[in-house]
Amino acid sequence: MPSFKLDDREIPFEKGDTIIKAAWRLGIEIPHYCWHPGLSVAANCRMCLVEIEPPPGGRAMMLDILKWDPAKNDYVPDRKPKLQPSCQVQATDGMVVRSDTSAPAKEARAHVQEFLLVNHPVDCPICDQAGECKLQDYWMSEQRTFKRMRDEPVHKPKAVPFGDTIVYDAERCIACTRCIRVCDEVVGDHMLDLRERGNKNEVVLAQGRKLEGDYTLMTEHVCPVGALTSSHFRFKARVWTLAENPSVCPGCATGCTMWLDVDPREARAYRNRPRDNPAVNGFWMCDDGMMTYLRAHEARVQRARVGRDTREEVAVTVAVERAAEQLKKAPKGKVAVLLGAQFSTEDNLVMAELAKALDAPLYLTAKAPWRDDKILRHADQNPNRAGARSVAGIAKVGSVQDLLQAVSAGQVQALVGLGADADVEGAALSPLSRVGDVVLLLSHDGPLARFATVTLPAAAWAEAPGSFVNAKGVVQGFLRALPPKGEARPAWELAAMLGRALGQELAYRKFKDVRAALLARAPAAHPDHKPEAPAAAAGEAKAPAGA
Ligand code: SF4
Ligand code: SF4
Ligand code: FES
């Protein structure tokens, strides 16, 4: 593999890599604003300037300059190497590049930094980006000098709505054009533009447009400063109080890899952010997926209840006993089990084992299809249909519609189900009212919930470790980010409790027991399962997140 030297460190690179990209693959950051690994090169901020040594026998490119001489109190002629933007210059074999070890490069960055801050309001105390702002980071690492300009800074529009989801502050904008390129290159819709020059530069809506569609929040995500803020996160939290948790979007069968940011002090989720994964979502997420953090709190089932009409609140153990009593009374061969496409593979595994022990046919609760696109959104709104099916082995897994037919035909008289989702609603579900015993393990409310004779509160995906298998068969594990709400417990635990109350051998006491069983029964659905990764993707996966 060809390589070059960056600050005396050997950097291997792939054909076509720029200097900054090859360094980024190894987790080395060359300061930058406008460059983003998922976007085209704009090379407009000049923050990534580096010194490139001439090849052996070559001549260094030098510039004649005037340099301030404090002793003479005047400018004096001098020379300096011509610095080059590392985001634009392609790496070549044997090249010698100096970044942090080049005094001219360090000096240039300090000047770029000072220049960017000349008219900046520096309103960090009220800025949502504070704590993860590149201007703050690079002031610390590259500048560390106070503002010299004493004039009134140029004022520009503030708090400009760019649509329903994004608010723009032109005074904080450094005109890097990342947001414009996200619209142009990721979405393919030119919704944003840049107008004017110099200190009048600002981002505006393209004529007759507003920022709309399914990927508006990616403009805020790529903004390296606090110029674009999302209306749902604006002024809600300080980022240094948030803990990031590796998670997976539960919004659709693409299963975008993401961070779920929560405030542990109030056990509250505040936002999702894409986590770079070339095998799944690259650097991006859709707007609906970005809002799924709300599902950790909204429409949650938090307590055990018994009685279809009375819905009496009881302890979980009491509800499990009541459920077992009901199911024991059900006619033999007339119990069905519903797996859940919204639940982890681990939850489904224990449900599938319960079904096996009860010799019950399998069906699947799942949300109805939604609007897909050619970018990320999958028509299947369920993150784990493939995982749920994988634990069923060779058993047939019917849909809720199949279940309704079986109920109408008198084949099902009792149900144990994971989730309340269905792709039919209202009167179409009425045959279920004929099923006398319906035990549902629910994290959220849904169309099936009203038929439950016993409701067991299950942890949401954010509240328990687990894994999903996406539509392409990629398995991704996620961690617990929040404590379970109310009396909720992981669904696999509830299923095992129910199995034991029914006299079955479901000996799962710890999550690791379920994971071990998953490895034994459906190894391809286990998070440690590694499909052959393409070479390029494997290289990119090492790169740091959030350029
Ligand atoms: S709004 Fe942000 S992303 Fe867009 S040009 Fe300004 S600084 Fe760059
Ligand atoms: S495409 Fe699907 S998985 Fe990805 S962010 Fe959107 S809803 Fe979530
Ligand atoms: S990162 Fe902006 S010029 Fe290279």
Side-chain angles (χ1 to χ4, degrees):
M1 198 174 199
S3 66
F4 66 93
K5 273 212 162 72
L6 174 66
D7 292 337
D8 303 319
R9 186 169 164 185
E10 208 66 36
I11 311 283
F13 67 91
E14 290 169 17
K15 193 167 179 286
D17 272 357
T18 53
I19 294 169
I20 205 170
K21 187 162 191 184
W24 169 79
R25 282 185 205 284
L26 287 191
I28 301 169
E29 177 172 323
I30 298 177
H32 61 277
Y33 286 107
C34 68
W35 181 76
H36 186 284
L39 299 173
S40 64
V41 172
N44 61 27
C45 73
R46 300 333 240 193
M47 193 62 189
C48 68
L49 292 176
V50 290
E51 187 177 344
I52 301 175
E53 288 188 6
R59 246 183 344 130
M61 275 198 289
M62 299 297 284
L63 293 176
D64 292 321
I65 59 163
L66 287 174
K67 190 173 181 180
W68 181 253
D69 185 339
K72 291 188 179 157
N73 199 26
D74 200 359
Y75 288 97
V76 294
D78 198 4
R79 305 196 83 206
K80 71 164 194 181
K82 182 168 175 12
L83 303 173
Q84 301 187 55
S86 60
C87 68
Q88 195 172 42
V89 177
Q90 287 204 350
T92 56
D93 201 16
M95 184 183 236
V96 178
V97 182
R98 302 218 162 268
S99 172
D100 288 344
T101 54
S102 162
K106 290 290 281 180
E107 195 185 344
R109 282 180 208 155
H111 290 324
V112 169
Q113 222 358 74
E114 184 176 10
F115 193 57
L116 287 175
L117 289 173
V118 159
N119 288 303
H120 191 277
V122 196
D123 50 354
C124 309
I126 54 151
C127 178
D128 289 300
Q129 191 84 5
E132 54 185 11
C133 176
K134 292 279 191 192
L135 280 170
Q136 291 181 326
D137 293 350
Y138 295 149
W139 186 87
M140 289 297 289
S141 66
E142 311 299 324
Q143 184 184 357
R144 286 191 180 235
T145 56
F146 293 112
K147 192 168 176 172
R148 288 182 288 173
M149 192 186 85
R150 291 284 169 262
D151 298 335
E152 181 70 12
V154 174
H155 290 292
K156 295 185 189 177
K158 293 184 85 72
V160 183
F162 268 3
D164 300 332
T165 54
I166 297 289
V167 179
Y168 175 62
D169 183 321
E171 290 186 344
R172 294 180 188 159
C173 176
I174 59 165
C176 71
T177 72
R178 277 184 177 194
C179 54
I180 300 172
R181 282 175 284 147
V182 158
C183 294
D184 290 354
E185 298 165 15
V186 179
V187 189
D189 190 357
H190 186 71
M191 292 179 277
L192 297 178
D193 242 325
L194 199 63
R195 84 165 169 216
E196 289 286 1
R197 286 174 177 266
N199 59 19
K200 294 211 167 57
N201 231 191
E202 71 180 278
V203 174
V204 288
L205 289 166
Q207 203 163 18
R209 295 301 309 273
K210 69 172 190 173
L211 195 54
E212 58 195 345
D214 288 324
Y215 295 88
T216 60
L217 295 175
M218 287 303 95
T219 59
E220 182 272 339
H221 174 62
V222 296
C223 184
V225 300
L228 294 178
T229 46
S230 61
S231 26
H232 65 277
F233 184 71
R234 204 170 148 78
F235 303 135
K236 294 270 181 14
R238 306 307 304 186
V239 299
W240 53 85
T241 67
L242 302 181
E244 61 181 22
N245 297 274
S247 192
V248 178
C249 176
C252 81
T254 301
C256 290
T257 319
M258 69 175 198
W259 297 109
L260 175 58
D261 290 347
V262 306
D263 191 331
R265 300 169 308 171
E266 23 171 348
R268 180 156 203 90
Y270 272 94
R271 63 177 181 181
N272 293 341
R273 284 176 297 127
R275 188 155 50 102
D276 305 356
N277 186 348
V280 179
N281 50 322
F283 308 93
W284 320 117
M285 283 175 69
C286 77
D287 285 0
D288 284 321
M290 288 284 280
M291 301 304 289
T292 53
Y293 74 91
L294 292 172
R295 292 189 194 177
H297 304 285
E298 290 178 353
R300 290 298 309 281
V301 172
Q302 301 191 30
R303 311 252 174 258
R305 288 179 190 276
V306 293
R308 183 173 283 164
D309 302 316
T310 54
R311 306 193 68 72
E312 182 196 346
E313 220 174 79
V314 295
V316 172
T317 44
V318 172
V320 168
E321 286 306 325
R322 194 75 65 86
E325 279 166 26
Q326 289 184 4
L327 293 170
K328 277 179 192 162
K329 279 192 252 149
K332 212 169 159 31
K334 299 284 183 184
V335 181
V337 168
L338 284 152
L339 301 179
Q342 288 281 328
F343 285 79
S344 72
T345 311
E346 290 78 0
D347 292 339
N348 279 288
L349 177 100
V350 183
M351 283 298 280
E353 295 218 350
L354 181 62
K356 206 165 157 196
L358 297 174
D359 198 18
L362 288 172
Y363 298 92
L364 184 72
T365 64
K367 287 183 191 291
W370 73 345
R371 186 180 65 250
D372 64 346
D373 64 26
K374 292 195 164 46
I375 305 170
L376 287 176
R377 291 167 64 100
H378 196 282
D380 181 3
Q381 251 197 101
N382 302 285
N384 201 29
R385 188 183 293 267
R389 284 185 189 282
S390 71
V391 295
I394 52 166
K396 182 175 177 290
V397 183
S399 65
V400 169
Q401 309 229 21
D402 296 331
L403 171 71
L404 293 171
Q405 279 178 17
V407 169
S408 301
Q411 294 158 358
V412 173
Q413 292 179 18
L415 264 183
V416 190
L418 188 52
D421 300 302
D423 49 4
V424 285
E425 284 196 32
L429 290 172
S430 56
L432 288 179
S433 53
R434 296 209 290 272
V435 181
D437 304 311
V438 179
V439 179
L440 293 182
L441 284 58
L442 302 182
S443 58
H444 293 83
D445 202 2
L448 303 185
R450 70 190 154 105
F451 299 102
T453 52
V454 177
T455 303
L456 299 175
W461 100 108
E463 297 167 349
S467 57
F468 290 153
V469 184
N470 80 358
K472 289 185 185 160
V474 178
V475 185
Q476 298 188 83
F478 47 84
L479 299 181
R480 172 181 134 141
L482 293 165
K485 275 223 175 319
E487 301 291 316
R489 302 183 188 200
W492 64 263
E493 195 179 313
L494 294 171
M497 284 168 75
L498 183 57
R500 288 193 291 271
L502 285 165
Q504 304 297 335
E505 274 298 306
L506 289 179
Y508 301 110
R509 304 275 175 186
K510 296 214 162 97
F511 179 71
K512 65 177 187 192
D513 304 336
V514 188
R515 271 274 164 90
L518 182 59
L519 192 59
R521 306 223 178 112
H526 191 278
D528 287 347
H529 172 70
K530 294 266 177 293
E532 281 300 299
E540 297 237 348
K542 286 187 213 129

